[in-house]
Amino acid sequence: MLLLGASYFFYACWDWRFLFLLVFSTSLDYYTGLKMSDAKSVNIKKTWFWISIIVNLGFLFFFKYYNFFIASFADALARSGIQVNPWTLRIILPVGISFYTFHGLSYVIDIYKDRIKAERNFVDYAVFVSFFPLLVAGPIERATHLLPQIKKQRTFDYAKAVDGLRQILWGLFKKIVIADNCAVFANEMFNNPADHSGSSLALGAIFFTFQIYGDFSGYSDIALGTARLFGIELLQNFSFPYFSRDIAEFWRRWHISLSTWFRDYLYIPLGGSKGGTWMKIRNTFIIFIVSGFWHGANWTFIAWGALNALYFLPLLLTSKNRNNLETVAQGKLLPSVKDVFNVSLTFSLTVIAWVFFRAKSIEAAFSYLSGMFSWSLFSKPDIQSGHAVVIQLVLITLFMLVEWCGRENRYAIETLGLNWKKPVRYAFYYAVVIAVFWFAGKEQQFIYFQF
């Protein structure tokens, strides 16, 4: 009850009115789950299943996609010479709706497929949906993983708590030192691309690449660390994606809980990588485009997803998509020349894709890339605050060095310094704390709160 009350209070602090939507969504899936479990026939079970799916997706569509579809339809008519005034709504997107909706969907789908039994304790189920560390930005949990932990009696574990605090500290460094500072330079470039050279725009795209990683993986670290304080282990959401040697590996390491959700509940039911070539191509585009569209109602996210599908397809069609399953340079200090080349190539492709994710429109993304790949790419960057840029690049370099050293763990500083003498280890932790305060950038909202 305490966890549920704290979670609802946490959500109500943002906007108490949408707490009713969260409670309704929770109650709907809890009730339909029971009805499916108790159903005497397949038809009745199927009816309750579709009620839950339609209502859940209906709310998601209304709050997140209604205006997008109406505006897109009006634009399509306008290009055909038919002018209409679309009836759009002033809708506030409820924070975390994409995340808690997917919690509920996975729960009812698993019951429908007889993978799990319905949870009969409403409080336990409500905590599974609304547990405050993951409520607004994930990770997207599964009932099979989280519910048993919620139901189990837990006692305070000092070692787990220390480990959780260590992960929270690293998450704060990622968010405040890396992401928030990178955001300043990335915003400057993306807001006024016509005023800057190609080299500056390339630098802006790289800064956004680190901003979104520091922002989202930093939040995930804070969420996982906070949950560990309560004795709960959440799903790992990131595993050093910028050290990936191809795009397939990148997607096994980036936003893991969402990637595996789409894999299990969309890609595999569609046939996965089985079947003929055209089925493989179709399924790949579907999963990447839907994944992109999940992020927001904008063509830029669809383009970002489609571009990643194009990156991924050659690996799938040549059966090389599972070539790099282990950690890069596992057990070694330095990577091979081949690893350096592959990691650099994958990182470069990712930087280009992020331009579509960050741009306000498809036209703006192409304009940005056009400016970036002009002859001025080889000129000196024309950023006014050059001194601050140099400092941020040094911080990113140090950050990536620590990430490299800890790449075989769940998070970068999980084991870093555990064998050091206590004063040295604590000096390192205090140095990170001081860096968080000293280099704190202008406060920026977490990017994934809008999804």
Side-chain angles (χ1 to χ4, degrees):
M1 281 299 295
L2 181 62
L3 275 181
L4 182 59
S7 298
Y8 282 170
F9 176 76
F10 174 76
Y11 196 73
C13 285
W14 168 69
D15 192 325
W16 62 270
R17 294 169 298 175
F18 289 103
L19 188 58
F20 294 103
L21 182 64
L22 174 62
V23 173
F24 175 80
S25 176
T26 303
S27 303
L28 171 76
D29 296 330
Y30 170 77
Y31 186 71
T32 53
L34 291 177
K35 286 294 184 183
M36 280 193 289
S37 272
D38 298 338
K40 303 295 182 187
S41 71
V42 174
N43 285 339
I44 294 175
K45 185 178 183 181
K46 190 178 289 185
T47 301
W48 285 109
F49 170 74
W50 282 112
I51 287 173
S52 176
I53 297 293
I54 291 170
V55 174
N56 271 305
L57 293 181
F59 276 121
L60 191 61
F61 173 85
F62 176 75
F63 283 104
K64 194 165 182 174
Y65 300 109
Y66 172 80
N67 283 342
F68 169 77
F69 279 110
I70 289 294
S72 297
F73 183 63
D75 287 344
L77 289 178
R79 288 173 187 172
S80 305
I82 304 171
Q83 297 296 330
V84 295
N85 293 318
W87 186 55
T88 56
L89 302 173
R90 289 187 175 183
I91 305 172
I92 300 173
L93 181 65
V95 167
I97 189 171
S98 300
F99 292 93
Y100 68 71
T101 298
F102 271 42
H103 282 153
L105 288 176
S106 67
Y107 174 74
V108 296
I109 293 171
D110 284 345
I111 293 175
Y112 181 71
K113 297 285 186 183
D114 292 324
R115 294 171 185 148
I116 59 172
K117 298 289 184 186
E119 173 55 51
R120 296 192 176 272
N121 185 314
F122 178 78
V123 174
D124 287 345
Y125 177 73
V127 172
F128 157 68
V129 175
S130 59
F131 185 40
F132 72 91
L134 56 76
L135 178 57
V136 293
I140 300 171
E141 275 289 344
R142 308 291 181 86
T144 50
H145 181 252
L146 184 54
L147 261 174
Q149 296 186 69
I150 293 171
K151 295 178 73 66
K152 190 175 78 174
Q153 187 172 7
R154 299 178 302 279
T155 56
F156 181 75
D157 187 318
Y158 177 77
K160 277 190 175 182
V162 170
D163 190 42
L165 289 172
R166 196 182 295 120
Q167 189 161 5
I168 291 172
L169 176 61
W170 191 239
L172 289 171
F173 181 86
K174 283 179 174 178
K175 169 60 180 167
I176 296 173
V177 178
I178 300 300
D180 287 357
N181 283 304
C182 284
V184 175
F185 305 117
N187 291 343
E188 182 183 340
M189 295 301 117
F190 277 90
N191 290 340
N192 305 290
D195 297 340
H196 296 284
S197 64
S199 56
S200 297
L201 296 180
L203 206 52
I206 291 171
F207 276 130
F208 179 71
T209 300
F210 284 104
Q211 179 198 348
I212 194 166
Y213 175 60
D215 187 288
F216 193 24
S217 72
Y219 177 85
S220 294
D221 280 338
I222 295 168
L224 268 69
T226 305
R228 199 168 295 132
L229 295 177
F230 293 90
I232 292 176
E233 288 292 335
L234 300 181
L235 293 171
Q236 186 177 4
N237 220 14
F238 289 86
S239 183
F240 311 99
Y242 290 158
F243 297 139
S244 300
R245 287 152 291 181
D246 58 47
I247 287 297
E249 184 183 9
F250 175 82
W251 281 105
R252 284 192 293 274
R253 296 176 177 276
W254 179 275
H255 204 173
I256 299 168
S257 64
L258 180 67
S259 302
T260 54
W261 198 101
F262 278 120
R263 181 198 64 195
D264 295 342
Y265 297 106
L266 183 61
Y267 186 63
I268 291 176
L270 285 171
S273 56
K274 298 176 181 175
T277 302
W278 284 113
M279 181 181 281
K280 291 178 183 176
I281 294 172
R282 182 202 68 178
N283 292 349
T284 299
F285 271 100
I286 287 175
I287 191 172
F288 275 104
I289 288 174
V290 171
S291 175
F293 201 43
W294 175 91
H295 286 81
N298 194 319
W299 288 105
T300 54
F301 295 118
I302 295 174
W304 172 72
L307 184 56
N308 275 284
L310 289 174
Y311 288 165
F312 179 81
L313 265 179
L315 295 169
L316 178 67
L317 297 178
T318 55
S319 300
K320 293 181 179 177
N321 55 308
R322 298 186 67 79
N323 274 5
N324 297 308
L325 297 178
E326 79 290 352
T327 304
V328 60
Q330 190 164 335
K332 300 176 183 175
L333 179 62
L334 297 174
S336 65
V337 174
K338 181 183 177 185
D339 286 339
V340 171
F341 174 79
N342 289 337
V343 169
S344 301
L345 178 61
T346 305
F347 181 80
S348 300
L349 292 173
T350 306
V351 170
I352 293 171
W354 284 132
V355 171
F356 287 91
F357 192 96
R358 173 61 178 80
K360 293 178 180 176
S361 66
I362 294 289
E363 292 77 11
F366 278 113
S367 174
Y368 192 98
L369 289 172
S370 174
M372 192 171 90
F373 288 110
S374 63
W375 286 110
S376 60
L377 178 63
F378 304 102
S379 65
K380 183 181 176 182
D382 53 6
I383 301 173
Q384 291 182 351
S385 50
H387 180 66
V389 169
V390 171
I391 291 175
Q392 188 60 20
L393 288 174
V394 170
L395 287 171
I396 290 174
T397 304
L398 293 173
F399 165 64
M400 292 306 286
L401 283 174
V402 175
E403 289 265 298
W404 175 263
C405 293
R407 69 192 183 283
E408 294 186 42
N409 300 309
R410 293 177 299 175
Y411 60 96
I413 63 169
E414 181 180 13
T415 59
L416 184 65
L418 292 184
N419 295 325
W420 297 349
K421 291 184 177 179
K422 198 172 180 179
V424 179
R425 187 168 72 249
Y426 274 79
F428 171 72
Y429 295 147
Y430 279 116
V432 177
V433 172
I434 291 170
V436 167
F437 283 98
W438 188 270
F439 295 106
K442 184 180 178 183
E443 183 180 344
Q444 307 281 336
Q445 187 182 26
F446 283 102
I447 294 173
Y448 269 68
F449 277 15
Q450 63 185 297
F451 304 143

